[in-house]
Amino acid sequence: MPAGDPVNRAWWKSAIVYQIYPISFFDSNGDGIGDLNGIHAKLDYLKDLGVDVLWLSPIYRSPLADMGYDISDYRDIDPRYGTLADWDNLLKGVHDRGMKLMMDLVVNHTSDEWDDTPHGGFTTGNPWMRVNDDYHSWNVSAQSQNENSVLSFWKKALKVRKANDVLIYGDFVDISPNHEQVFAYTRSLGNVSILALLNFKGTEIEYSHALGDGWRTASLLLGSYPSVPQGIIGDAVYLRGFEGQLYIRTDV
């Protein structure tokens, strides 16, 4: 049975996984250390972002000689982060929002800036490590209000990925072998195909290697610039510095 068949579509292949380093995520009690209740407070933000699975870096009891990866008790939560009851509450909150929670089991490893308030909104106390100096302009609140921000782009990209099975299960073909500047590939599933073009240098380029006429009528699905003035012309496409373009077509 082909990999693209719905029977073989394991949930984890299409899931969006977000790893959290708890000590730096969000402090709920003002002691300067991120904690489980801080993660719970941001669950709606994570859900809105498009996250399916939260992956927590170690929160077990630890002497913190190796940033929490040196675990002393696998059966208890380090009090810096909260209690087992706090973990139960977090798990319930995750499940209530249709997400999953994955724990980093070590036998198997910068602070977040939420707004322009002191310490980037991470804590009302003294943070265990300082936030970046640009937090006044580079923070979640500001990015959420700017449709051209990095955060807005990633939210759009995650929605596109979830809405198009071809991006996950489609047959992959590299059409840019050994190209020094552009990585280009196609994926096809049934009668739907996508073309991804990624310029890995700061210089612009007109790329035409092996595109073929079939892409002339393709629609732009996603781009890393706010607009793409030209699109595919003939069998070529113009890429600006570090630009990515994603096209989709449906063959009748």
Side-chain angles (χ1 to χ4, degrees):
M1 191 172 291
D5 190 283
V7 175
N8 289 330
R9 295 184 182 183
W11 68 266
W12 48 265
K13 286 189 176 182
S14 59
I16 305 300
V17 181
Y18 188 107
Q19 183 177 11
I20 293 177
Y21 188 51
I23 198 172
S24 299
F25 190 68
F26 184 64
D27 170 23
S28 69
N29 60 8
D31 66 356
I33 296 175
D35 47 47
L36 293 176
N37 289 331
I39 298 171
H40 189 280
K42 299 296 182 180
L43 288 180
D44 288 336
Y45 159 78
L46 294 165
K47 179 65 177 179
D48 179 66
L49 187 61
V51 174
D52 298 307
V53 181
L54 300 187
W55 169 12
L56 295 192
S57 291
I59 56 171
Y60 311 99
R61 283 188 177 270
S62 167
L64 289 186
D66 188 24
M67 306 300 286
Y69 286 85
D70 49 324
I71 294 171
S72 60
D73 187 350
Y74 286 94
R75 298 173 297 177
D76 199 6
I77 304 299
D78 193 292
R80 299 174 181 86
Y81 305 122
T83 66
L84 281 170
D86 293 333
W87 185 87
D88 288 338
N89 185 53
L90 174 62
L91 181 63
K92 182 180 184 302
V94 169
H95 287 170
D96 286 347
R97 291 164 176 79
M99 298 186 290
K100 299 179 185 295
L101 183 65
M102 180 171 66
M103 303 295 289
D104 195 334
L105 189 59
V106 185
V107 292
N108 327 17
H109 38 254
T110 62
S111 292
D112 284 287
E113 297 158 12
W114 296 103
D115 52 42
D116 61 359
T117 59
H119 309 307
F122 165 68
T123 180
T124 57
N126 295 315
W128 71 281
M129 65 177 295
R130 72 179 187 88
V131 298
N132 292 324
D133 294 333
D134 60 0
Y135 73 87
H136 292 284
S137 58
W138 191 262
N139 59 71
V140 170
S141 179
Q143 293 260 311
S144 296
Q145 299 173 45
N146 180 1
E147 64 179 11
N148 294 322
S149 69
V150 174
L151 176 61
S152 295
F153 173 80
W154 278 109
K155 289 177 68 174
K156 185 186 302 181
L158 294 180
K159 289 180 180 178
V160 166
R161 183 177 186 270
K162 288 187 173 186
N164 295 275
D165 287 343
V166 64
L167 292 169
I168 303 166
Y169 301 103
D171 294 330
F172 174 89
V173 178
D174 181 359
I175 63 171
S176 60
N178 303 317
H179 198 284
E180 294 184 354
Q181 184 166 346
V182 174
F183 176 43
Y185 65 88
T186 62
R187 299 197 78 152
S188 300
L189 182 66
N191 65 339
V192 180
S193 298
I194 63 96
L195 168 67
L197 301 152
L198 305 167
N199 181 5
F200 280 94
K201 291 188 178 180
T203 54
E204 60 189 42
I205 186 173
E206 183 177 283
Y207 180 81
S208 61
H209 181 69
L211 282 188
D213 295 338
W215 290 103
R216 292 181 180 179
T217 58
S219 301
L220 181 70
L221 191 58
L222 185 68
S224 58
Y225 279 66
S227 63
V228 177
Q230 298 186 43
I232 299 175
I233 301 177
D235 64 348
V237 63
Y238 168 74
L239 296 172
R240 290 160 287 189
F242 300 114
E243 182 172 17
Q245 296 179 15
L246 180 66
Y247 293 87
I248 189 168
R249 77 181 189 201
T250 301
D251 300 323
V252 180

